[in-house]
Amino acid sequence: MENEPLLTIAIPTYNRKKYLIELLPVLLAQIQQADPNDCFIQLLIVNNASTDGTNEIIRSIKDFKIKYIENKTNIGADKNFIECVKHANGKYVWLFGDDDLLEVGAISKILEIVKREKFDLIIANEKNYVTGLKEKTFFDNYKELIDYIDSINAHFIL
């Protein structure tokens, strides 16, 4: 794999220490189970200048490689999402909510899909629908994207 992960799990966060305390042990355990040799998955956390001690929680995690970016000022949610994508090294980027929790085996399932298939876009929602789009399609706005997804009977939540 030439030193680049296949999947970056990117978590944009702001003042979500209480959620990260619950999320990170589950997330790290699933990553370890899915990728025991640490060659397919990168975990990236981009902290949007939190003031609640979020940075101490991230820095306290031992024995796991996390790419951690801390914005100097709060740049807003949208720009923080963009920062996640800019700093991701994976071929695929999974933008993951800092207040979301994983289904058992979710990371293994996603990793299995991206290893097996060559998708340009994967859309997953909470009902465990996963759809891959094998063609390169560009959209001028969200409405066009939603109309396209609807036309191929994919499931997507904004």
Side-chain angles (χ1 to χ4, degrees):
M1 260 203 66
E2 301 176 358
N3 298 336
E4 291 205 354
L6 184 59
L7 175 65
T8 295
I9 300 172
I11 303 173
T13 192
Y14 174 69
N15 283 345
R16 296 301 193 102
K17 172 183 164 180
K18 67 180 182 179
Y19 296 111
L20 290 169
I21 288 171
E22 189 174 348
L23 167 63
L24 289 175
V26 174
L27 186 64
L28 295 172
Q30 282 205 32
I31 290 171
Q32 182 61 36
Q33 180 181 17
D35 188 18
N37 296 323
D38 193 28
C39 57
F40 292 107
I41 299 173
Q42 172 191 44
L43 178 58
L44 167 66
I45 301 173
V46 181
N47 183 351
N48 202 10
S50 295
T51 58
D52 68 345
T54 294
N55 56 346
E56 287 89 6
I57 295 301
I58 308 305
R59 290 187 177 128
S60 71
I61 296 172
K62 305 288 187 228
D63 302 323
F64 195 87
K65 191 171 90 181
I66 296 176
K67 183 174 181 179
Y68 179 58
I69 307 295
E70 194 171 353
N71 298 331
K72 292 180 190 231
T73 61
N74 185 323
I75 60 175
D78 291 341
K79 288 183 180 176
N80 204 38
F81 294 155
I82 293 168
E83 287 299 303
C84 284
V85 175
K86 280 185 2 187
H87 291 285
N89 298 110
K91 177 177 180 179
Y92 296 98
V93 180
W94 182 358
L95 284 172
F96 195 88
D98 56 8
D99 61 349
D100 290 343
L101 289 177
L102 291 164
E103 290 283 330
V104 173
I107 292 176
S108 292
K109 180 69 175 172
I110 294 296
L111 187 58
E112 173 188 315
I113 290 167
V114 297
K115 280 180 175 179
R116 183 180 68 233
E117 303 290 340
K118 302 297 178 217
F119 295 116
D120 293 316
L121 173 65
I122 296 173
I123 300 168
N125 71 19
E126 82 279 1
K127 295 182 180 175
N128 293 327
Y129 296 111
V130 176
T131 301
L133 306 178
K134 291 188 176 186
E135 60 199 64
K136 289 191 178 189
T137 306
F138 298 93
F139 303 95
D140 291 326
N141 56 55
Y142 281 120
K143 182 176 180 340
E144 285 183 17
L145 171 63
I146 292 168
D147 289 346
Y148 176 74
I149 289 168
D150 203 34
S151 76
I152 62 167
N153 198 28
H155 302 274
F156 183 73
I157 294 179
L158 284 176

